[in-house]
Amino acid sequence: MRTLIRSDSSSTIGLGHIMRDLVLAQSFEGEVIFACQNLEGNIIASIPYDVKVLQTNDADELIALIKSLHVNLLVIDHYGIDADFERKVKEATGVKILSFDDTYQTHHCDILLNHNISADKKRYKGLVPPRCELRCGILYTLIRDEFKEEKKQTREKIYDIFIAMGGTDASNITLCILKTLPHSLHVSVLTTSANAHLSELQNYVKDKPNITLHVNSHEVAKLLHQSRLAVVTPSVMVHEVLFMEVPFIAIKVASNQDDMFAYLQAQGYTVLEAFNDTLLKNEIQRLFQ
């Protein structure tokens, strides 16, 4: 069995696709290979599998790679690949296709995976082939092993707030949040070297002993477990926060988070449709009073 995972990461795309693909990859038997473009701010070097570097996001290049590798299963986790692209690949290679989706788009695939807790398989009617297997919702939610192991531990709460606004945080929301918080709170900030605003963040926190900046941390689950409150995006991170049972505020920063945002709002969780310093400050005061 040979599985090829087509996904990208960059300062603009973010790191979330690759991160969830790495969790899924652990479930496959046989050989796993990634196919990625060498985009600015990528994390190809962090992928513990063989990576084939693509020059383009072109169907013909991917088809040639699939044929040369004799791939059995193609996993597609990419907003830049649509149903027409998938159909072209399927017709040219006959490969079995598993497509990630979290925005209810049309797909030409054998398996559709929407692992968000908010996923509703009924909404895919007419969007995928009749015989497509739908894997939707909490039964398919991808949780990294580090969180499963960390939950078994007992930790002291040493941080008041844990902030994780995505590995790249293209809108620099993290800095906006930090400027909103009172200096009396102990804050743990999670980011990566793919964040284009990293130097600005580092300059801001250097004279603030109450803020600890963690870059490319391998202890994300531990840091979350040690925190009283998380401020995150309504994305894959929410799954992990819910799993660890940490109270949170979710701030939407991208349109692909609309579905999760609506679900969390309907369930009564604290969510903000966009960053608003007054609303955030009020919510934090309410939670820490």
Side-chain angles (χ1 to χ4, degrees):
M1 179 71 176
R2 181 171 287 167
T3 300
L4 181 67
I5 300 177
R6 173 70 188 100
S7 189
D8 280 328
S9 58
S10 74
S11 297
T12 52
I13 293 173
L15 315 181
H17 295 280
I18 296 292
M19 297 304 292
R20 67 185 182 184
D21 296 335
L22 290 175
V23 181
L24 181 65
Q26 295 176 353
S27 69
F28 296 133
E29 295 182 356
E31 186 179 6
V32 175
I33 301 169
F34 276 71
C36 308
Q37 294 179 92
N38 188 20
L39 304 175
E40 184 177 354
N42 71 73
I43 54 169
I44 289 175
S46 301
I47 298 175
Y49 296 94
D50 185 18
V51 179
K52 304 299 182 185
V53 176
L54 298 172
Q55 301 305 309
T56 66
N57 185 34
D58 183 81
D60 290 331
E61 186 179 3
L62 183 59
I63 287 166
L65 181 62
I66 292 168
K67 289 180 176 179
S68 69
L69 294 175
H70 304 290
V71 172
N72 305 104
L73 174 67
L74 172 67
V75 176
I76 297 175
D77 187 5
H78 204 293
Y79 291 142
I81 293 178
D82 60 14
D84 290 337
F85 187 117
E86 292 167 341
R87 183 178 289 104
K88 184 174 182 180
V89 171
K90 182 76 172 177
E91 290 175 352
T93 66
V95 71
K96 187 174 185 177
I97 298 176
L98 183 157
S99 294
F100 267 93
D101 180 275
D102 45 25
T103 56
Y104 300 99
Q105 301 299 311
T106 304
H107 287 278
H108 188 78
C109 57
D110 302 281
I111 303 168
L112 187 290
L113 175 60
N114 184 335
H115 78 128
N116 288 330
I117 54 174
S118 59
D120 180 1
K121 66 166 58 179
K122 294 190 295 291
R123 292 179 61 181
Y124 284 103
K125 186 176 181 179
L127 296 180
V128 295
R131 295 185 180 180
C132 177
E133 177 188 344
L134 295 174
R135 299 180 182 176
C136 297
I138 196 166
L139 289 177
Y140 302 99
T141 298
L142 300 168
I143 300 292
R144 286 179 277 177
D145 286 343
E146 66 170 293
F147 287 89
K148 295 175 183 177
E149 292 302 314
E150 179 60 34
K151 195 168 184 179
K152 300 173 185 175
Q153 308 300 318
T154 300
R155 300 286 185 195
E156 180 186 357
K157 298 291 186 180
I158 61 175
Y159 299 109
D160 295 304
I161 297 181
F162 168 94
I163 300 174
M165 300 304 292
T168 58
D169 188 15
S171 303
N172 204 15
I173 299 293
T174 301
L175 186 60
C176 298
I177 294 169
L178 289 175
K179 290 179 178 178
T180 301
L181 300 178
H183 297 312
S184 59
L185 297 178
H186 289 89
V187 184
S188 174
V189 181
L190 192 70
T191 191
T192 72
S193 52
N195 186 340
H197 308 286
L198 180 57
S199 60
E200 192 177 355
L201 273 176
Q202 290 170 326
N203 285 333
Y204 182 79
V205 306
K206 65 183 179 183
D207 60 347
K208 296 175 178 62
N210 64 309
I211 301 174
T212 306
L213 186 62
H214 303 274
V215 183
N216 300 330
S217 175
H218 295 292
E219 295 186 319
V220 178
K222 180 181 177 182
L223 293 171
L224 178 59
H225 203 181
Q226 292 174 317
S227 304
R228 294 181 177 86
L229 173 72
V231 179
V232 296
T233 59
S235 61
V236 172
M237 190 75 204
V238 165
H239 297 151
E240 296 165 339
V241 174
L242 286 169
F243 180 78
M244 296 300 295
E245 301 179 79
V246 175
F248 68 93
I249 297 171
I251 304 174
K252 186 166 75 74
V253 299
S255 59
N256 67 327
Q257 297 165 0
D258 288 347
D259 189 56
M260 181 68 87
F261 172 85
Y263 172 83
L264 293 173
Q265 190 174 49
Q267 296 297 315
Y269 292 104
T270 304
V271 290
L272 301 181
E273 195 159 8
F275 172 76
N276 181 300
D277 57 349
T278 303
L279 288 177
L280 181 62
K281 192 176 295 183
N282 290 342
E283 285 297 335
I284 288 172
Q285 287 178 345
R286 180 178 66 82
L287 291 164
F288 281 97
Q289 66 184 5

